Amino acid sequence: MIPRVVAGVLVLFFAASTQALYSSSDDVVALTTANFDRTVVKSDEVWVVEFYAPFCGHCRSLVPEYKKAATALKGVIKVGGVNCEEEQGLCGQHGVRGYPTIKIFGANKRSPVDYNGQRTAKDIAEAALAEAKKKIKNVLGGGGGGGGGSSSGGSDSGSGSKDDVIELTDANFDKLVLQGEEAWLVEFFAPWCGHCKNLAPHWARAATELKGKVKLGALDATVHQQKMAEYGVQGFPTIKYFPAGTKDRNSAEDYNGGRTSSDIVNWALDKYTEDIPSPEIVQLTSEQVARDTCQKKPLCVVAVLPHILDCNAECRNRYVQILQTMGDKYKKKDWGWLWTEGGAQLDLESTLDIGGFGYPAMAVVNLKKMKYSLLRGSFSNDGINEFLRDLSFGRGHTAPVKGAELPKIHTVEPWDGKDGQLPEEEDIDLSDVDLDEKDEL
């Protein structure tokens, strides 16, 4: 039986764990399922919203800076907080997977901008003000005109270049779009179309932001009527998406997002992420494997798993599956993923301080800067996700690689996927040993 005093302490502890981090005396507005749409989505104000959990240490650390940002932005931009322990449905609706998550609801309230900057009042306030400026530009420039469609439309106040929009024709369409490996968003427009003119600056800005990921093209359907008919275009602007890789005319998918640059970019990036294959989790068996997997990557994730005699095939495959899940989650980062068996690459373990806490262990290496960071939490989906998320936001602790270079990678046999086998003891043949030698043995 729990003593009454201890029970009282436990009640207080659990009550505190679900208590909101902000009070009515703060400048941070408490947001709930009941008031979110009315207060945030349907309002004209720009909102900064933190989705948090009271038990989260990072959330508690953010409190003073977030309050400071709310006070600094008072009267200019609204600042709110959602307690995800109490508002799980609302947080799930906005795709919250970790805490704290900060989103800025600006020009398009249905497609908020994820805040990935430093967790200081100054940085949060500056990001919010930048979104407010974008909203103002959208309002002032939204009805502005330029000539034809997106390929020759108006400027975007320097935030996008119409040169990044590729002019498509009946003659070059198949070669560039269908036969190319890249993903495409294609606008079919008419020069006289008012909606097309309004879209032009947003299309140019999106083309600039998506450069290197998704190509944006524009086809004047009043001139190139063959493609207009081929894709059943009946109104302007019509936007179609063509996925990366091998495709044909049936690959086209109707774009159903909004018509601001942020709508277009977010929609295209979601599609781009879907098209990216999951990274391969590669066993580190040689120097060549290390180069092929990580040399051209921004970061290289190196996991050291227990020896097969300490963790059988089923156990090892569970760890590899965790790595695969995390690789898929962070696939758009284009990192390299390696694993090795504990003791197989001792020089590498020593250089990266891996193994001090036992196996499994993990380090992430920036080969360009020759810096690394160690996983100090649990080797689990949640533990690794928090570690990698902090690194991707620039918040992880890093250290320089010893000697500013990685050691030689030893060539080892790849794992055969089976359980480990203890080496058999050799029998000693005593038939040719004389009696005195036998006595010694």
Side-chain angles (χ1 to χ4, degrees), residues 11 33 35 84 86 155 171 176 222 235 316 326 330 351 377 395:
V11 169
T33 303
N35 68 11
C84 289
E86 296 181 353
S155 71
L176 293 180
T222 63
R316 176 172 288 182
M326 289 297 102
Y330 289 89
T351 299
R395 295 195 298 262

Side-chain angles (χ1 to χ4, degrees), residues 7 32 80 95 159 165 204 208 218 258 293 385:
T32 65
S159 57
V165 178
T208 299
T293 306
N385 180 47

Side-chain angles (χ1 to χ4, degrees), residues 185-203:
L185 270 175
V186 177
E187 177 203 1
F188 297 81
F189 73 92
W192 45 260
C193 162
H195 291 305
C196 302
K197 293 177 181 179
N198 292 341
L199 177 62
H202 297 284
W203 197 249

Side-chain angles (χ1 to χ4, degrees), residues 158-398:
S159 57
S161 172
K162 63 183 181 181
D163 294 334
D164 292 326
V165 178
I166 299 169
E167 183 178 356
L168 296 171
T169 67
D170 283 340
N172 69 11
F173 191 98
D174 286 0
K175 181 179 180 181
L176 293 180
V177 179
L178 298 185
Q179 296 171 21
E181 289 296 317
E182 304 88 350
W184 280 80
L185 270 175
V186 177
E187 177 203 1
F188 297 81
F189 73 92
W192 45 260
C193 162
H195 291 305
C196 302
K197 293 177 181 179
N198 292 341
L199 177 62
H202 297 284
W203 197 249
R205 183 190 303 144
T208 299
E209 291 188 34
L210 289 167
K211 208 169 182 179
K213 295 183 173 68
V214 179
K215 290 191 172 184
L216 267 68
L219 182 140
D220 183 344
T222 63
V223 175
H224 305 285
Q225 296 184 6
Q226 177 186 334
K227 290 301 172 188
M228 172 185 168
E230 194 172 308
Y231 288 98
V233 175
Q234 296 180 344
F236 306 113
T238 290
I239 301 173
K240 291 185 179 288
Y241 174 76
F242 296 80
T246 304
K247 45 190 170 284
D248 57 27
R249 293 166 185 168
N250 296 322
S251 302
E253 177 182 339
D254 288 333
Y255 170 83
N256 53 14
R259 291 186 181 176
T260 67
S261 61
S262 60
D263 289 333
I264 297 164
V265 169
N266 289 334
W267 193 95
L269 286 178
D270 285 344
K271 287 293 181 182
Y272 175 74
T273 302
E274 289 175 9
D275 291 342
I276 299 173
S278 297
E280 184 180 359
I281 311 301
V282 183
Q283 183 182 2
L284 180 55
T285 56
S286 68
E287 194 84 45
Q288 187 63 47
V289 167
R291 283 197 296 269
D292 292 345
T293 306
C294 286
Q295 191 171 42
K296 296 181 180 179
K297 304 294 184 180
L299 294 178
C300 186
V301 182
V302 181
V304 183
L305 305 183
H307 193 281
I308 194 63
L309 293 177
D310 297 323
C311 173
N312 62 17
E314 182 181 358
C315 166
R316 176 172 288 182
N317 282 326
R318 282 200 301 270
Y319 287 132
V320 173
Q321 183 55 52
I322 289 174
L323 295 175
Q324 190 64 68
T325 300
M326 289 297 102
D328 186 60
K329 182 178 180 64
Y330 289 89
K331 63 182 180 179
K332 64 181 178 181
K333 299 292 185 182
D334 195 29
W335 296 340
W337 292 76
L338 292 167
W339 72 269
T340 183
E341 182 177 76
Q345 304 291 346
L346 286 175
D347 293 340
L348 181 64
E349 291 184 38
S350 175
T351 299
L352 301 179
D353 288 329
I354 292 178
F357 302 98
Y359 306 121
M362 176 182 285
V364 175
V365 186
N366 184 321
L367 295 174
K368 186 176 181 180
K369 296 181 179 179
M370 275 298 151
K371 290 186 176 182
Y372 71 98
S373 184
L374 279 177
L375 169 68
R376 300 189 183 278
S378 64
F379 197 99
S380 63
N381 286 330
D382 290 341
I384 295 173
N385 180 47
E386 184 173 354
F387 169 59
L388 297 180
R389 186 185 64 205
D390 283 350
L391 279 181
S392 65
F393 289 165
R395 295 195 298 262
H397 173 74
T398 60

